[in-house]
Amino acid sequence: MTRVNIGLTLMVGMVLSVMIWKHPPSAWTAMQAFGMCSMIAGFVLWTTARVQLGKSFTVSAQAKQLVTGGLYSRIRNPVYVFGSCVIVGLILVLGRPIFLLIFLVVIPLQIWRARKESSVLEAAFGEEYRKYRAVTWF
């Protein structure tokens, strides 16, 4: 497990601990309970996607290897999708749905970055990537 994954695991654990300590689950609203489920599921799936990406993970768009197994067999960008689930879950757990407006900025940035990565992968892997893209979502 990388340092980033360990750090994020600790962060999510701390948020969960504080939420449970300050507001026991019996006092949660439906929105907070849904947010917690979204945050936990998103984090587990984000971590899975990150592990499956392995050494192909980079901060900038690079074509090291075309990863098409696991979560990547259905979703081209599961790190973005499930990272968004974690953020939405955290916003709902904190009880600040107005912060969902953040996604008016985040979503277009993620789409832009996914397109940039897509063009890099298409240039490197050509027809293999186009076939993969045809059978996967986002």
Side-chain angles (χ1 to χ4, degrees):
M1 192 175 237
T2 67
R3 288 184 206 175
V4 172
N5 289 345
I6 292 169
L8 287 170
T9 301
L10 291 173
M11 181 185 75
V12 170
M14 287 182 352
V15 168
L16 290 172
S17 298
V18 168
M19 276 306 298
I20 292 169
W21 175 65
K22 289 191 133 217
H23 305 285
S26 61
W28 289 357
T29 65
M31 181 177 68
Q32 288 174 310
F34 176 78
M36 185 62 72
C37 292
S38 176
M39 193 168 71
I40 292 169
F43 184 74
V44 167
L45 291 167
W46 178 89
T47 302
T48 301
R50 177 61 189 86
V51 168
Q52 290 174 350
L53 194 55
K55 292 182 180 181
S56 293
F57 177 79
T58 61
V59 175
S60 61
Q62 297 177 25
K64 292 183 173 185
Q65 166 187 343
L66 186 58
V67 178
T68 60
L71 293 172
Y72 290 86
S73 68
R74 303 280 185 219
I75 306 171
R76 287 188 306 279
N77 299 287
V79 169
Y80 297 158
V81 171
F82 298 121
S84 294
C85 291
V86 171
I87 293 168
V88 167
L90 179 60
I91 290 168
L92 295 177
V93 164
L94 295 174
R96 304 280 191 232
I98 191 73
F99 291 164
L100 292 172
L101 294 174
I102 293 168
F103 282 103
L104 292 177
V105 175
V106 172
I107 288 174
L109 289 173
Q110 288 181 327
I111 292 170
W112 172 79
R113 185 166 176 180
R115 286 182 179 161
K116 185 175 181 178
E117 290 173 0
S118 181
S119 62
V120 168
L121 291 169
E122 186 170 4
F125 299 107
E127 187 60 28
E128 181 184 5
Y129 179 74
R130 286 188 287 279
K131 286 179 182 177
Y132 167 69
R133 187 177 61 207
V135 297
T136 55
W137 175 75
F138 184 70

